[in-house]
Amino acid sequence: MGYRLGADIGGTFTDVQLLDDVTGELYVGKVPTTKEDPSKGFLQGVKRVTEERGIEVGDVASIVHGTTVVTNSLLERTFSPAGLVVTKGYRGLLEYARCHIPGPFGTWLIHVPERRPVLLEDVAEAPERLTHRGEVHVELDEDAIRQIAEDYREKGIASVGVSLLWSFVDAKHELRIKELFEEVYPDCEVILSSDVLAEIQEYERAATTALSAALKPQVAEYLASIETALNGSSSGSSLYCMKSSGGAVTARRARERPIELALSGPAGGVLGMRDICEELGYSQAITFDMGGTSTDISFIDGMEPALATDGIINGYPIRVPMIDIHTIGAGGGSIAWLSAGDRPRVGPQSAGASPGPAAYDRGGTDATVTDANIVLGRFPTELLDGEMQLNKERAETAVAEWGSQLGLDPVPAALTIVELAINEMNLAIQEVSTRKGRDPRECVLVAFGGAGPAHAARLADLLEIPTVLAPSSPGVASTTGLIAAEVRSDFVHSVIAGVTDKDDFAVAKETFSSLKERAWQALADEGVDEEDRVLQLTADMRYLSQQYAVNAVIRARSGDWKSDLDQEEVLKAVEQFHGNHARLCGFDYREQGAGGVQLVNLRVAAIGKSTRMGRTRADDEGSDPSGALKGNRSVCFDESGEFVDTSIYSRAELRPGNVVAGPAVIEEFDSTTVVWPGQTARIDGFLNIVIDTGRTNGSR
């Protein structure tokens, strides 16, 4: 009997879901996140679902983990001591950066640069230099490198990144530096930029390598603690980690490339929602994952999540393939506060799981989004089927104290808190849609996470989105994508080649051959059967004289890894590049033809196919939802502050075909769905809640 398990550690709760591959049954577990040691909450959740099924942890064939250890380090700017070796004369490379101030308003007057992952005094210069062709211009001074290694040992720095100029063309000097470190300081972890990111643009390559070095010790320690505990339970399970690109890798490979886990947890949710949308026939979707600490938003077009290779997280450039996810510090536990000039703000500070919102009754006193929703009657006063009781009086006290600073009564204060959070989410959705040439009105808004379905209908109304979808068990929906995750490794190499130039194309062809061999071998190393291996080839392209590139697919998923790169397929990809450039930038230069386009980076994704979770559609049982009615409660929906009598339903009792007219609140084990006045919710054959917002501007 086979079992697969997905485990996602969030800022407030740790979600676990177990799939019985034979019966198709799912077992759900949700426990508070243990922030002091997230692995404890992980193991508690795993134990809960396996005990519910009546099996041992060792009976689970694979465990796919969505971890926030890297995300939290980037958001909190907490790094392990690390070093960085650069080419002589480039010690200030991380300071050079790019002429860019993060944030939507270019607030350069008050911008405070992010904390460096490697301190300036821990950056060392290597006497060496290669030309842009990879030829030696200055020989590597090996004695100087031995001294650098000795200096790091004396400082106690045991993780060092190496990022030399032009190393993506030829890595010989980086490889030799690693050999010299192994000779002088064998206990030091050495991360090479040619392994992490064999790509042009020295700042992004150095920054990504430095982050990898600063993150590796804590990621290695964290994964080791989980593996030790699993082994202690006599587990024969294979532990995988979700990557930011939406694929899984073994824990061993995750330790080698920790930067690839930057958006590990959110990626699982996007993949899970992609499968649901494909099942229901929605071609475009915006995923809206609101948890206790943050909200993650992404865009799905044609059943493929949008991918990015130039992400920025909390000011740090992350130059690895990742699902294009926009994350903001607005969740159920986000704290309301006043900024300079007594301006009301919500987040990014969060109460987390401990002490949590004031309503958790665990010592928290700050007003949060959860407390505000309780005051407005939109949230129940218990969670997890009564396992966790919420204190309404403490929520009211916290909201009242915050509101008194603005001269607001409790209800207007609560409305202010929720609307501030929704405004932040509105802007975040625009970041992945309208600001990238996509119309949200043509999408379905897929809401999940513990707090997502409670706020989605209001957001959809603001954005004129006609349909909201809340999947079954939305509070643990991210684990659905983890269970069905495919094994994936990504490889990149810069080429800088004219598309129509014969000599340049020969170089691109040779580069592709090298990449695909590495990719095929990586799948073999991950234990993927040959019939389940596929490769996908894409390229970053640009117009001549431009600096930044746009990605286009050259070869979609294919098991034929032996065929060489063909110029005709590249020319077809150029047409796609023109269209992508027009959508993102508002113009294109098609009239220049393929001769005006350059290949910048070739990318190969090595994918090991996985079995998706199959679900059976149930028959319609009629529109009457009265069998699920729990009672009524007064709920406030708008700025008038008036409370209206609202029907409260148990989602577990709602059947396919049931229709719920708003205003209504639908409660369940791990989430709450709010249906606004004038809206209608229908339960489909897969037990999803589909809300018709009354908007007709969009299309399915």
Side-chain angles (χ1 to χ4, degrees), residues 244-297:
S244 305
S245 60
V249 291
T250 58
R252 172 189 58 79
R253 186 169 177 83
R255 279 194 292 267
E256 294 173 357
R257 297 189 176 186
I259 195 63
E260 294 182 343
L261 307 181
L263 293 175
S264 173
V270 176
L271 293 179
M273 298 310 100
R274 174 203 63 186
D275 293 348
I276 290 175
C277 288
E278 183 175 22
E279 194 171 49
L280 297 176
Y282 293 107
S283 60
Q284 287 190 318
I286 296 171
T287 64
F288 170 58
D289 178 6
M290 182 179 177
T293 303
S294 62
T295 294
D296 304 306
I297 296 168

Side-chain angles (χ1 to χ4, degrees), residues 1-7 15-20 25-31 41-64 229-230 233-237 483:
M1 191 175 291
Y3 298 94
R4 288 183 282 166
L5 186 147
D15 306 325
V16 181
Q17 198 165 189
L18 176 71
L19 172 67
D20 185 329
E25 292 179 275
L26 286 168
Y27 301 87
V28 175
K30 197 176 188 77
V31 299
F42 171 92
L43 295 167
Q44 289 170 7
V46 171
K47 184 178 180 182
R48 174 168 294 190
V49 295
T50 52
E51 286 181 349
E52 181 182 344
R53 180 63 184 91
I55 63 173
E56 299 293 329
V57 176
D59 295 327
V60 180
S62 65
I63 296 175
V64 182
L230 288 174
S233 62
S234 301
S235 173
S237 308
I483 290 174

Side-chain angles (χ1 to χ4, degrees), residues 378-400:
R378 301 177 190 177
F379 278 11
T381 54
E382 64 178 29
L383 298 175
L384 309 181
D385 285 345
E387 184 178 324
M388 186 174 181
Q389 297 296 318
L390 301 180
N391 191 321
K392 184 177 180 180
E393 291 183 2
R394 289 195 181 277
E396 291 172 337
T397 299
V399 171

Side-chain angles (χ1 to χ4, degrees), residues 31 40 110 151 172 202 236 334 336 380 447 478 504 558 590 695:
V31 299
K40 291 181 180 179
I110 58 173
D151 292 343
K172 53 179 169 280
E202 64 272 18
S334 293
S478 289
D504 282 356
S558 171
R590 292 176 191 269
R695 295 288 190 173

Side-chain angles (χ1 to χ4, degrees), residues 345-366:
R345 300 285 300 276
V346 173
Q349 302 92 337
S350 174
S354 181
Y360 281 17
D361 214 2
R362 294 177 177 172
T365 58
D366 293 314

Side-chain angles (χ1 to χ4, degrees), residues 35 46 133 137 165 205 216 256 264 339 484 499 533 565:
K35 190 172 182 180
V46 171
R133 294 187 178 87
H137 180 64
L165 290 182
R205 184 155 40 86
K216 188 168 185 177
E256 294 173 357
S264 173
S339 66
V499 170
R533 301 177 201 168
L565 185 65

Side-chain angles (χ1 to χ4, degrees), residues 141-479:
D141 188 334
E142 297 191 354
D143 289 337
I145 300 303
R146 291 187 179 94
Q147 184 59 53
I148 289 171
E150 186 62 43
D151 292 343
Y152 281 133
R153 178 161 60 181
E154 291 179 2
K155 286 184 175 182
I157 292 175
S159 183
V160 174
V162 181
S163 185
L164 305 180
L165 290 182
W166 304 110
S167 60
F168 66 90
V169 178
D170 193 318
K172 53 179 169 280
H173 280 180
E174 286 194 353
L175 291 168
R176 181 54 182 157
I177 287 175
K178 187 171 185 177
E179 291 174 352
L180 293 169
F181 264 77
E182 289 172 350
E183 173 190 320
V184 176
Y185 188 8
D187 293 333
C188 183
E189 292 279 359
V190 179
I191 296 104
L192 306 182
S193 74
S194 50
D195 288 336
V196 174
L197 189 68
E199 189 176 321
I200 197 171
Q201 294 189 330
E202 64 272 18
Y203 166 65
E204 285 79 6
R205 184 155 40 86
T208 302
T209 304
L211 284 168
S212 295
L215 292 166
K216 188 168 185 177
Q218 57 210 70
V219 171
E221 181 181 357
Y222 169 75
L223 292 178
S225 67
I226 289 179
E227 289 182 306
T228 299
L230 288 174
N231 292 334
S233 62
S234 301
S235 173
S237 308
S238 298
L239 178 63
Y240 293 85
C241 291
M242 173 62 78
K243 299 200 317 175
S244 305
S245 60
V249 291
T250 58
R252 172 189 58 79
R253 186 169 177 83
R255 279 194 292 267
E256 294 173 357
R257 297 189 176 186
I259 195 63
E260 294 182 343
L261 307 181
L263 293 175
S264 173
V270 176
L271 293 179
M273 298 310 100
R274 174 203 63 186
D275 293 348
I276 290 175
C277 288
E278 183 175 22
E279 194 171 49
L280 297 176
Y282 293 107
S283 60
Q284 287 190 318
I286 296 171
T287 64
F288 170 58
D289 178 6
M290 182 179 177
T293 303
S294 62
T295 294
D296 304 306
I297 296 168
S298 188
F299 192 92
I300 297 174
D301 187 7
M303 292 308 97
E304 285 297 330
L307 286 177
T309 57
D310 56 351
I312 296 177
I313 300 178
N314 202 25
Y316 297 107
I318 311 294
R319 190 59 72 90
V320 294
M322 61 177 68
I323 294 177
D324 189 6
I325 298 173
H326 189 70
T327 299
I328 59 172
S334 293
I335 295 171
W337 55 289
L338 300 182
S339 66
D342 288 339
R343 295 181 59 187
R345 300 285 300 276
V346 173
Q349 302 92 337
S350 174
S354 181
Y360 281 17
D361 214 2
R362 294 177 177 172
T365 58
D366 293 314
T368 67
V369 175
T370 292
D371 295 312
N373 276 295
I374 291 173
V375 170
L376 298 173
R378 301 177 190 177
F379 278 11
T381 54
E382 64 178 29
L383 298 175
L384 309 181
D385 285 345
E387 184 178 324
M388 186 174 181
Q389 297 296 318
L390 301 180
N391 191 321
K392 184 177 180 180
E393 291 183 2
R394 289 195 181 277
E396 291 172 337
T397 299
V399 171
E401 289 180 355
W402 180 80
S404 67
Q405 302 175 75
L406 295 169
L408 296 175
D409 291 334
V411 171
L415 285 166
T416 299
I417 291 171
V418 174
E419 287 300 307
L420 283 170
I422 284 178
N423 183 61
E424 291 293 325
M425 298 166 201
N426 188 348
L427 292 173
I429 289 176
Q430 292 181 46
E431 285 289 339
V432 304
S433 58
T434 54
R435 294 193 179 188
K436 295 190 176 179
R438 302 159 177 151
D439 190 344
R441 297 173 300 180
E442 298 177 355
C443 303
V444 58
L445 181 62
V446 187
F448 57 107
H455 300 85
R458 168 64 173 153
L459 264 174
D461 185 63
L462 290 173
L463 291 160
E464 300 183 7
I465 296 175
T467 306
V468 173
L469 173 70
S472 57
S473 298
V476 297
S478 289
T479 60

